[in-house]
Amino acid sequence: MSLLSSPRNLGIFFAIMASIIFSMHDAVSKLLVVNHSVWFIMMFRYWFHLIVAIIWALVSKEGFRAAITTPRPVLQIIRGILLVTEIALIIYAYSMLGLAEVTTIIMVHPLIVTGLAAVFLGEVVGWHRIGALLVGLLGLGVIMQPTGNIWGYGGFVALAATTAFALYQLFTRLASRHDSTLTSFFYAGLIGVVLTTVPGLKMAPALADMNWLLLAGACIFSTAAHFCVMKALSLTEASAIQPFTYMQLVWSIPIGFLVFGDLPIWSTILGATMIVGAGLYTIHRGNR
């Protein structure tokens, strides 16, 4: 039997793909924010996102009307606002901190999501999984030691982004009970376009100053990564896929070195090892 034959395993596959694509997207965003406004980057990405969503809706079997119809419009609006907030904060954080540093703070969100999913969604989280997540939290504590600059202003911005992303994932899970992945994808793009277009146009650079290649990369990576997240959450429970989000730490270290020449210090390596180990143990428990 294929490993991807069950909804749970397929959801895990999409979660892993999201972690890889997010790492590539973060590196591109860090390069872009040097010479481009955060709001302009977001506007560019969201317009691309919305165009892809419209094309997808038009060619889907359900049809455009069914794709944009939702019984929970307020829930979709909240999702969209949370996603815009998270993206704006995370791009801003990349202007102050390195790729690996921001990624370590982002890794707090699986712990937040797992706790919220158990309390508000009624998802079952066993003691073994709780123990593994606590080990992951301890690993984050090792990484975020006070001797570095991770707890400066940039660190708090990244932590705020992490909280917004955790809430976004929780609301995405709630939305998946009523709406298809396509509907959630469409409304994420629509709300983003509404919120970012005006400030993005005000801060747009001259055409000659735009880095079109990086902008295109940011659009493609962002759209693909968020699709993978929504697809994963539509296939299995939130607490089941969160440990796999830790894998973004694994990808961020070589990407940070290859693109920016950043090498992690010993505490980052030790903490990342603990976090990945906790995730792998959770996989083992899930298989049993």
Side-chain angles (χ1 to χ4, degrees):
M1 186 175 65
S2 171
L3 291 175
L4 301 181
S5 59
S6 71
R8 179 182 181 276
N9 289 345
L10 190 58
I12 289 172
F13 168 78
F14 277 106
I16 294 173
M17 289 301 301
S19 72
I20 298 172
I21 300 171
F22 269 129
S23 296
M24 296 187 291
H25 165 267
D26 292 345
V28 171
S29 296
K30 184 172 173 60
L31 290 170
L32 271 173
V33 78
V34 174
N35 297 312
H36 295 73
S37 160
V38 171
W39 286 105
F40 173 75
I41 296 170
M42 292 176 62
M43 180 197 72
F44 202 92
R45 286 170 41 183
Y46 268 117
W47 271 106
F48 180 85
H49 181 130
L50 183 60
I51 291 171
V52 171
I54 291 173
I55 295 173
W56 183 11
L58 289 173
V59 301
S60 67
K61 294 181 179 179
E62 297 83 0
F64 184 78
R65 182 180 294 275
I68 66 173
T69 300
T70 173
R72 297 290 187 276
V74 175
L75 186 60
Q76 292 291 355
I77 292 172
I78 293 173
R79 284 183 61 253
I81 294 173
L82 286 170
L83 185 58
V84 169
T85 302
E86 182 267 334
I87 294 175
L89 290 172
I90 210 68
I91 295 177
Y92 185 40
Y94 282 128
S95 68
M96 295 177 280
L97 295 175
L99 188 65
E101 292 173 315
V102 176
T103 303
T104 58
I105 300 178
I106 294 173
M107 290 302 101
V108 175
H109 86 266
L111 307 175
I112 301 174
V113 171
T114 299
L116 292 176
V119 174
F120 295 106
L121 302 185
E123 297 182 1
V124 178
V125 181
W127 287 109
H128 286 273
R129 190 180 296 177
I130 292 174
L133 291 174
L134 289 176
V135 172
L137 180 61
L138 180 61
L140 287 169
V142 172
I143 293 172
M144 299 179 196
Q145 57 176 316
T147 56
N149 68 340
I150 201 167
W151 285 116
Y153 180 64
F156 284 111
V157 171
L159 187 59
T162 299
T163 304
F165 189 53
L167 291 171
Y168 163 76
Q169 290 208 37
L170 182 70
F171 278 95
T172 296
R173 182 60 181 169
L174 286 171
S176 70
R177 296 177 174 179
H178 310 282
D179 296 323
S180 66
T181 301
L182 171 56
T183 300
S184 292
F185 188 80
F186 174 82
Y187 277 96
L190 178 63
I191 300 302
V193 165
V194 171
L195 294 178
T196 63
T197 296
V198 173
L201 288 174
K202 289 181 178 179
M203 300 179 184
L207 291 176
D209 296 332
M210 292 185 190
N211 192 321
W212 295 104
L213 183 60
L214 289 179
L215 285 169
C219 291
I220 294 170
F221 291 147
S222 174
T223 303
H226 286 289
F227 167 79
C228 288
V229 169
M230 286 183 283
K231 189 65 177 177
L233 290 171
S234 71
L235 289 166
T236 189
E237 60 188 24
S239 54
I241 68 170
Q242 294 315 310
F244 295 89
T245 311
Y246 292 136
M247 297 185 71
Q248 190 170 339
L249 273 174
V250 178
W251 319 126
S252 69
I253 293 175
I255 291 175
F257 174 70
L258 291 173
V259 179
F260 304 104
D262 296 334
L263 282 174
I265 59 176
W266 69 268
S267 59
T268 300
I269 296 174
L270 175 60
T273 301
M274 296 172 66
I275 291 169
V276 173
L280 292 175
Y281 181 73
T282 303
I283 298 172
H284 168 69
R285 291 299 303 179
N287 289 335
R288 291 191 61 181

